[in-house]
Amino acid sequence: MSAWIFGYGSLVWRPDFPYLECRTAAIDGWSRRFWQGSTDHRGVPGDPGRVVTLVREPGARCWGRAYRIEGRDGEAILEGLAFREKGGYDRIVLDLHFAGAPEAPAPGFVYFANPDNPNWLGPAPLADIARQVRRSRGPSGANVEYVMELAGALRAMEVEDAHVFALADLVKGQGAP
Ligand code: SIN
C-alpha cells in the first residue's frame, strides 16, 4: 500500500520525508497564492511572513510535486507533516493529474490553508507582498528564500506560475514597483 502527497509550496523544494517516487503533477480548479501568513516558519507572531496556499479558481491548474510514500511509513510521515504545516493548514484529499501521463488521476493528500484560519492574510498588491517578504524572517529562515526556492524549483520543472514568478522578480528588485 502506498499513498501520494502533493506539494505546491515548501514541499516542492524541501520535502523532509522518505519517498518512493516523485512526479510532476497538477491539481485542477486551484491557484497558488502568497496569501497565508507564517508565524512559525518564515515570520514570527506579530510580524508574519507570507507563504502559499491554494484558492479555488475554476479553469486554473496548479503544478507541483507528488511524492509516493510507503504505507508502512505513512503514519509517521503524516504526523511530521501535521507538525510542519500546523500554522493554519488542513489536510485535504484532491485528484492529482500527472505530467505527461494519460492515466486516471490519483487521490493525494494536500495541505490547504482555509481563509478562516487565524494566520490567513488574503490578497494584497504584489508590491506590498514583496515588501513583506523582503523584511520577514522566522525560525526556518528568510521569507525571501522561500519565494526564490519555490520560483527556482517551478522554473526547473518547466511549469508556469505567473503569480510566483512576478513576486520573485519583485523580491529580486527586477519587477515593476
Ligand atoms: C505545500 O508545500 O504543499 C504546503 C505549503 C507549504 O508548506 O509551503
Side-chain angles (χ1 to χ4, degrees):
M1 251 307 268
S2 64
W4 289 99
I5 294 171
F6 178 78
Y8 59 92
S10 67
L11 293 176
V12 170
W13 55 275
R14 199 172 63 85
D16 60 357
F17 49 84
Y19 53 86
L20 301 170
E21 187 186 353
C22 170
R23 292 174 70 180
T24 298
I27 48 177
D28 283 345
W30 298 87
S31 288
R32 175 177 18 230
R33 290 287 179 270
F34 274 86
W35 291 2
Q36 173 65 5
S38 174
T39 58
D40 61 349
H41 285 294
R42 301 289 164 172
V44 291
D47 197 4
R50 284 221 176 216
V51 291
V52 285
T53 185
L54 297 168
V55 294
R56 286 188 178 82
E57 190 185 335
R61 170 160 264 213
C62 175
W63 287 99
R65 283 199 167 121
Y67 303 94
R68 189 161 65 84
I69 58 166
E70 175 62 68
R72 269 189 324 224
D73 303 337
E75 214 163 294
I77 292 171
L78 292 176
E79 246 171 59
L81 285 172
F83 181 77
R84 170 171 166 164
E85 305 294 331
K86 68 184 183 315
Y89 292 87
D90 294 322
R91 194 177 75 207
I92 58 174
V93 175
L94 295 173
D95 280 342
L96 310 185
H97 302 264
F98 297 104
E103 73 233 38
F109 293 119
V110 182
Y111 292 85
F112 160 67
N114 205 49
D116 66 5
N117 85 84
N119 290 327
W120 174 260
L121 295 174
L126 211 55
D128 293 353
I129 295 180
R131 269 190 287 276
Q132 185 173 359
V133 165
R134 289 177 81 147
R135 68 158 194 269
S136 297
R137 165 174 286 281
S140 297
N143 205 171
V144 168
E145 179 194 35
Y146 181 106
V147 173
M148 301 315 293
E149 291 285 351
L150 178 58
L154 295 176
R155 285 201 170 101
M157 291 159 64
E158 300 185 339
V159 300
E160 261 308 310
D161 193 310
H163 174 76
V164 174
F165 295 161
L167 180 62
D169 286 348
L170 278 176
V171 164
K172 274 190 304 195
Q174 290 174 3

